[in-house]
Amino acid sequence: MPSSALQVARTGLEAQDTRMRVIANNLANVSTTAFKRDRANFATLAYQDARVAGAASSNETTYAIGLNLGTGVGVQSTTRMETQGSLQMTGNSLDLALDGDGYFQITLPGGQLAYTRAGNFSRSSEGLLVTSQGYAVQPPVTIPENATTISVSEDGTVSAQLAGQADPSQIGQITIASFTNPQGLQAMSDNFMLETAASGPAQIGVAGTEGRGAMRQGMLEASNVKIVEELVDMIETQRAYEINSKMISAVDEMLRNANQTL
């Protein structure tokens, strides 16, 4: 029926609108440190079975095929694409990148732990290694006031060259969190992720061991958004939206013609 076709086309419009919103967010974060692009996933809605394949068509025969009418499409989920972005040199000794899997641990106000791959850290007035929001890296690393240089090894060991000392002193070690299902982490603002039942508990360990990425000092991970791919997806989404809009116009015209003939 035409009215059913209107409903189906409407679900198509809503699905493409959602996909365009995901693409827009990806493009908006093309320069965001360590941002991971999202992909919208869709699934068919329920089918109306006017005739089921295998049902009796007579006393002696059955239908070889059925008559199933779809009711449209719905957004199933969004998938965060966990592929690593390129590592870019910054020359800042407090900029850190993970070359491989894993997350830095950050203590939020109230004590809750969050996780991030954005390693653009700074030094607070108390000497703590913190994010740009002032949240401390976990485990805490305190940089002495008289430190002249800071070095971070691939396993996360933090050393400082102190004034008056010939050899650098170890002042801490940044450990890395990994998850069984990192796509199950809950995304929030400021590049942070939160642990969920789907992600599984954080498994804390040394960088460069047990599948965790090595730490790279003086580098930051770029967004993994590829502009050309997003533009291609945007054009495809735009065309699909236009087709569904035309379907609504066509069905509306059919309804008007039908009313005029009555």
Side-chain angles (χ1 to χ4, degrees), residues 97-104 117 153-157 173-178 203-216:
L98 289 175
D99 191 2
D101 295 337
Y103 297 85
F104 298 107
R117 287 184 63 88
S153 64
E154 292 186 358
D155 67 356
T157 300
Q173 183 169 26
I174 302 171
T175 54
I176 300 302
S178 60
Q203 302 166 30
I204 312 303
V206 176
T209 65
E210 299 180 333
R212 297 177 185 87
M215 209 165 295
R216 308 296 185 197

Side-chain angles (χ1 to χ4, degrees), residues 104-133:
F104 298 107
Q105 305 166 81
I106 307 298
T107 303
L108 299 179
Q112 183 179 19
L113 278 179
Y115 306 92
T116 184
R117 287 184 63 88
N120 48 325
F121 300 128
S122 303
R123 179 180 177 180
S124 72
S125 58
E126 294 83 14
L128 283 172
L129 188 66
V130 297
T131 66
S132 57
Q133 297 83 8

Side-chain angles (χ1 to χ4, degrees), residues 74-228:
V75 180
Q76 186 180 49
S77 62
T78 55
T79 299
R80 187 170 55 252
M81 311 306 292
E82 298 290 344
T83 54
Q84 180 175 308
S86 61
L87 301 186
Q88 299 178 340
M89 292 286 298
T90 67
N92 185 342
S93 63
L94 297 184
D95 283 342
L96 302 175
L98 289 175
D99 191 2
D101 295 337
Y103 297 85
F104 298 107
Q105 305 166 81
I106 307 298
T107 303
L108 299 179
Q112 183 179 19
L113 278 179
Y115 306 92
T116 184
R117 287 184 63 88
N120 48 325
F121 300 128
S122 303
R123 179 180 177 180
S124 72
S125 58
E126 294 83 14
L128 283 172
L129 188 66
V130 297
T131 66
S132 57
Q133 297 83 8
Y135 305 154
V137 173
Q138 180 69 28
V141 175
T142 302
I143 303 172
E145 186 175 349
N146 62 339
T148 56
T149 59
I150 303 295
S151 61
V152 182
S153 64
E154 292 186 358
D155 67 356
T157 300
V158 184
S159 301
Q161 184 67 52
L162 304 180
Q165 294 186 4
D167 298 322
S169 301
Q170 181 175 335
I171 58 175
Q173 183 169 26
I174 302 171
T175 54
I176 300 302
S178 60
F179 295 88
T180 303
N181 176 28
Q183 290 184 340
L185 291 169
Q186 178 186 348
M188 55 183 297
S189 61
D190 297 322
N191 295 333
F192 295 137
M193 305 280 181
L194 295 179
E195 178 184 311
T196 68
S199 69
Q203 302 166 30
I204 312 303
V206 176
T209 65
E210 299 180 333
R212 297 177 185 87
M215 209 165 295
R216 308 296 185 197
Q217 185 180 19
M219 306 181 78
L220 288 176
E221 181 184 355
S223 164
N224 69 353
V225 174
K226 296 181 180 179
I227 295 178
V228 173

Side-chain angles (χ1 to χ4, degrees), residues 2-21:
S3 57
S4 297
L6 278 174
Q7 173 66 20
V8 171
R10 184 185 65 82
T11 67
L13 287 177
E14 293 175 348
Q16 297 308 319
D17 180 71
T18 299
R19 188 186 184 195
M20 189 66 86
R21 179 177 176 180

